[in-house]
Each structure stands twice: as structure tokens, then as C-alpha cells.
């Protein structure tokens, strides 16, 4: 037994010497960690660094909501420092504020999108935040639905903010709508029992206006006997040329803005 123990000790001592010879500290990187010798490992190591930097720069983001399709959360990590409130648009009708998807339907230049208004007297308001727009002529087009009681007379007014309320900047009035819109009819009876329908007729009017620059605008529509309005195009013109720089996307602002209050996150 003494001889066997001596042989075992003689075998273990060279092994221990080999384990401690590679690393100066005599310690491996841990059980099961390869390579065990720290001198043979080229893996990155976590070290204390007191340098402040943007670790979110150019990273992908997620968001709880966004006010529109411009003020989204990727602008939080784009590295651009904003020093002002970003431009954005608010559009309101008698039914309330329009959603992000609907706000630009009348001013985006698309011929098929529109905002709907109800009744023989209605309105739509535009509020540009942190930007202004200007025009000398407003061109407004769409489809109006009227019943047999319609006289064909109408008045369309462009208003801008004034002292204590809205003031008239331009107005047009007349009779007749132009041409009947093909296959445009609406049921007046929600239960579809009476057979009464409203005929759709297209219209396009030009309204000279006298404001230079404004951050707000209200379009007032009035026509006896009208059931519904579809406002397809609101074109702001200066010197006969349309101005498409009335969208907030024309004036870039690097910031995220949530759609509403409450708890929001990025």
C-alpha cells in the first residue's frame, strides 16, 4: 500500500505542475470553460468604462403608439438632436378629431381619399402646429349628396383665426354642382325600406383668399337639402401653382410623439 500511494503521488505532482505552469496566477478560467488557460483566450472581457455614450444609437425600436407616420420611435435613436417642437397636423370635424390615417386625406394629392361631412351645414378645421402655410387661392373639390329638396344653391367659405374666433378670408356661392358623379347614390333610409336615395354630384370651386401665412384654417360648407359631403381635394395655390409643402412631412422634425396621453413607452 505504501508503494501504490507513492506512485499515485508521483503521477499527480507533474499534472499539477503542468496546470500551474501556463497561467502566471495559477488559476484557470473555470471548470468546463475552454480554453482554460487565460493566456490562450482571446474572447472579449467586460471592463468598467466611465465613458458616456449613446448605446441606443441606430438601434431598432418599438413603440406604444405614434401621433402620425412621421413622428415615430426610430427618431429617438437616429442620433439627431432636436431643439424645437416637431411640426404636426390636427384635423377636426363636427364628429371630432380625425385619426392619423385620416388627417391628410384631403390635402395629400390623392384623388380617391376623402373626408366625409354630414348635413347641409358642416365644416372641417386644419391646425398646423409649429409650421405655417400660405395661399392666394383655395381649390376645393369633392362629391355632394343631395335629396329632392335641394335647391342646388351652395356657399363655401374659407376662414382663418382672427380676434376671438374665426374670420372670413374668402367665400364663393352659386347654384348647380357641375356634373353628376357616375353611379353615385346613397341610401337615405338606414333600414333601406323607403327606397329614398341621395344623388351624388361632383363639384370643384376656386376661392380667392387674402391671408398670407396661417397656422389654422376652417372650411365651411352650406347647401340646403344636402345630406353628405365628400371632400376629396383641398389644394392651396399661389400664383396659380399648387403648394404641396403643406404636409408636416415637408418640414422634418426628429422626435417621437405619442398618440394621446396615458402611459406610453419606447
Amino acid at each position: 500500500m505504501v508503494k501504490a500511494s507513492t506512485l499515485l503521488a508521483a503521477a499527480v505532482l507533474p499534472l499539477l505542475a503542468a496546470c500551474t505552469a501556463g497561467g502566471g496566477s495559477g488559476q484557470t478560467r473555470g471548470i468546463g470553460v475552454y480554453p482554460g488557460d487565460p493566456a490562450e483566450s482571446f474572447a472579449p472581457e467586460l471592463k468598467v468604462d466611465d465613458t458616456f455614450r449613446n448605446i441606443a444609437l441606430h438601434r431598432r425600436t418599438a413603440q406604444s403608439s405614434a401621433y402620425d407616420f412621421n413622428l415615430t420611435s426610430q427618431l429617438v435613436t437616429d442620433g439627431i438632436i432636436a431643439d424645437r417642437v416637431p411640426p404636426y397636423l390636427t384635423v377636426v370635424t363636427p364628429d371630432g378629431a380625425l385619426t392619423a390615417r385620416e388627417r391628410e386625406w384631403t390635402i395629400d394629392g390623392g384623388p380617391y381619399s376623402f373626408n366625409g361631412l354630414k348635413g347641409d351645414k358642416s365644416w372641417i378645421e386644419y391646425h398646423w402646429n409649429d409650421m405655417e402655410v400660405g395661399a392666394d387661392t383655395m381649390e376645393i373639390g369633392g362629391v355632394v349628396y343631395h335629396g329632392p329638396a335641394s335647391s342646388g344653391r351652395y356657399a363655401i367659405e374659407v376662414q382663418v383665426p382672427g380676434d376671438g374666433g374665426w374670420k372670413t378670408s374668402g367665400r364663393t356661392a352659386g347654384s348647380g354642382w357641375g356634373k353628376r358623379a357616375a353611379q353615385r347614390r346613397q341610401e337615405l333610409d338606414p333600414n333601406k325600406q323607403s327606397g329614398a336615395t341621395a344623388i351624388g354630384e361632383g363639384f370643384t370651386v376656386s376661392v380667392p383668399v387674402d391671408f398670407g401665412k396661417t397656422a389654422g384654417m376652417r372650411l365651411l360648407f352650406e347647401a340646403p337639402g344636402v345630406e353628405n359631403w365628400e371632400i376629396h381635394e383641398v389644394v392651396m395655390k399661389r400664383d396659380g401653382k399648387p403648394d404641396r409643402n403643406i404636409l408636416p412631412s415637408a418640414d422634418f422634425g426628429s422626435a417621437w410623439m405619442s398618440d394621446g396621453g396615458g402611459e406610453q413607452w419606447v
Side-chain angles (χ1 to χ4, degrees):
M1 291 297 293
V2 174
K3 185 177 181 180
S5 299
T6 303
L7 292 175
L8 180 60
V12 170
L13 286 173
L15 180 62
L16 292 175
C19 292
T20 57
S25 64
Q27 297 181 351
T28 66
R29 297 177 63 231
I31 299 175
V33 180
Y34 178 84
D37 186 351
E40 297 177 358
S41 174
F42 301 98
E45 297 180 0
L46 184 63
K47 294 184 177 180
V48 177
D49 186 356
D50 294 329
T51 303
F52 289 92
R53 57 186 176 274
N54 185 3
I55 61 174
L57 183 64
H58 299 157
R59 298 281 185 172
R60 186 178 62 180
T61 64
Q63 62 192 20
S64 55
S65 68
Y67 184 78
D68 57 24
F69 304 111
N70 305 314
L71 306 177
T72 53
S73 61
Q74 78 263 17
L75 299 177
V76 175
T77 62
D78 64 357
I80 301 175
I81 299 175
D83 58 358
R84 66 183 181 91
V85 177
Y88 62 95
L89 176 67
T90 303
V91 182
V92 184
T93 71
D95 292 329
L98 300 185
T99 64
R101 185 168 177 261
E102 302 169 323
R103 289 185 196 114
E104 299 179 0
W105 278 355
T106 59
I107 60 175
D108 61 2
Y112 303 109
S113 58
F114 64 88
N115 292 137
L117 303 174
K118 300 176 182 178
D120 59 0
K121 187 175 182 179
S122 193
W123 49 266
I124 183 169
E125 291 179 7
Y126 303 86
H127 301 272
W128 287 270
N129 299 272
D130 204 57
M131 66 178 291
E132 292 184 325
V133 297
D136 56 31
T137 304
M138 299 292 302
E139 189 173 281
I140 304 167
V143 178
V144 62
Y145 293 88
H146 62 84
S150 173
S151 64
R153 300 193 62 81
Y154 66 87
I156 298 176
E157 197 168 297
V158 179
Q159 300 176 333
V160 294
D163 295 333
W166 296 94
K167 68 176 184 178
T168 300
S169 179
R171 186 178 188 275
T172 186
S175 64
W177 294 104
K179 62 179 181 179
R180 182 164 296 182
Q183 305 298 323
R184 291 296 186 101
R185 289 179 176 270
Q186 284 186 347
E187 294 281 348
L188 296 181
D189 181 4
N191 297 318
K192 300 183 180 180
Q193 300 296 318
S194 66
T197 60
I199 299 172
E201 295 191 63
F203 70 93
T204 301
V205 297
S206 293
V207 185
V209 292
D210 60 4
F211 65 86
K213 289 284 187 179
T214 183
M217 183 174 64
R218 189 177 201 242
L219 304 181
L220 181 63
F221 301 89
E222 186 173 3
V226 166
E227 300 291 336
N228 295 294
W229 307 74
E230 290 180 0
I231 312 303
H232 287 251
E233 279 289 310
V234 176
V235 181
M236 306 184 75
K237 291 186 174 183
R238 186 175 293 280
D239 299 327
K241 297 179 180 180
D243 182 6
R244 292 300 181 189
N245 292 327
I246 61 176
L247 300 177
S249 57
D251 187 4
F252 175 74
S254 179
W256 167 66
M257 181 175 174
S258 66
D259 185 15
E263 184 174 329
Q264 302 285 337
W265 54 265
V266 173

